Amino acid sequence: IYSKLQYSACHIDQYSFKVISTMGNNKLLGLLFAPQLCAASLCFDCIGGTYNFLTGKNDDSDDKVEAQHTNGFGSGLGGALGGGGLMGNGGKNTKYMDYSWNKLPQKVKNAATTLGWNESNWATKWARAEELWWEDMSAGEKEAANTLGWDQSAWDSKYEDKNWSDLPKHVQTAATKLGFTQKTWDYGDWPSSTDKWWNDFSDEEKKSLNMLGYSYYNWE
């Protein structure tokens, strides 16, 4: 079943933590200022969103939104409810599979559409292009996959073709959170803690699996 070949809610932004950290060990000040900083972050998000709506600007495109979600700064409720934000390094690292379709930047939606995804099957069903090996994909499909965060190793084998020392740093981190060590990864031994259904994983574990290239539809 688990064959790898088958492949809340307000939060304090990183900026808030930086400000609080300048208060030294005074926890009382931190507790007093944290809600205000969080509220200010959400307020700026709301103002920015209203401005964009009235002026027709689309801030949900290209790399700006990806940077906000990935870094956790200015993500406000959008990050809490639609991927990135609370969970940390989302975006390209997770192939955007932790995002709902309506939270995807437009550039990413276009790339996903090129590969055969749409609103109804995003991150829940196989896409047409996933039937192809990387080398059989067109240049446009490879570019679209790169935009989503895929590379050849992730696409073809979920990084199983790489030794631990050759894994991207974020993949090593994700594998460690799932219970892998360098030895078990290199020997292809999956931790017993991953022997469960997708919905039994925590959100953090799901995000780590996303980083390896897994989602609901190719896990079960």
Side-chain angles (χ1 to χ4, degrees), residues 100-119:
S100 61
W101 179 263
N102 64 349
K103 292 295 182 180
L104 292 175
Q106 188 58 50
K107 176 173 146 183
V108 176
K109 279 186 183 179
N110 294 341
T113 301
T114 297
L115 296 173
W117 275 299
N118 53 52
E119 185 172 5

Side-chain angles (χ1 to χ4, degrees), residues 6 43 46 83 96 99-100 112 129 142 148 156 162 165 175-176 191 197 208 216 219:
Q6 277 190 328
C43 180
C46 293
Y96 289 95
Y99 282 59
S100 61
K142 289 178 181 177
L148 291 176
D156 284 345
K162 289 188 178 293
S165 58
T176 299
W197 300 101
S208 294
Y216 169 80
W219 181 260

Side-chain angles (χ1 to χ4, degrees), residues 61-199:
S61 61
D62 302 326
D63 297 327
K64 181 175 181 180
V65 167
E66 178 189 335
Q68 288 180 340
H69 283 300
T70 301
N71 296 328
F73 175 76
S75 54
L77 287 177
L81 300 179
L86 286 176
M87 294 298 296
N89 298 320
K92 293 186 74 170
N93 282 354
T94 58
K95 286 74 174 165
Y96 289 95
M97 288 190 287
D98 57 329
Y99 282 59
S100 61
W101 179 263
N102 64 349
K103 292 295 182 180
L104 292 175
Q106 188 58 50
K107 176 173 146 183
V108 176
K109 279 186 183 179
N110 294 341
T113 301
T114 297
L115 296 173
W117 275 299
N118 53 52
E119 185 172 5
S120 65
N121 69 358
W122 171 247
T124 59
K125 297 179 182 179
W126 290 88
R128 169 191 49 76
E130 289 186 286
E131 299 175 1
L132 303 173
W133 295 102
W134 186 269
E135 63 180 15
D136 297 325
M137 295 167 68
S138 68
E141 289 170 332
K142 289 178 181 177
E143 182 179 359
N146 285 149
T147 297
L148 291 176
W150 294 91
D151 55 31
Q152 184 169 1
S153 179
W155 186 269
D156 284 345
S157 70
K158 307 293 188 288
Y159 296 106
E160 290 182 19
D161 62 336
K162 289 188 178 293
N163 290 325
W164 181 267
S165 58
D166 298 323
L167 291 174
K169 185 64 178 177
H170 72 278
V171 176
Q172 279 190 4
T173 300
T176 299
K177 289 181 179 179
L178 292 170
F180 281 101
T181 64
Q182 180 172 357
K183 182 178 180 179
T184 57
W185 179 271
D186 288 343
Y187 277 91
D189 295 331
W190 276 70
S192 59
S193 59
T194 62
D195 187 19
K196 52 189 175 184
W197 300 101
W198 181 263
N199 287 333

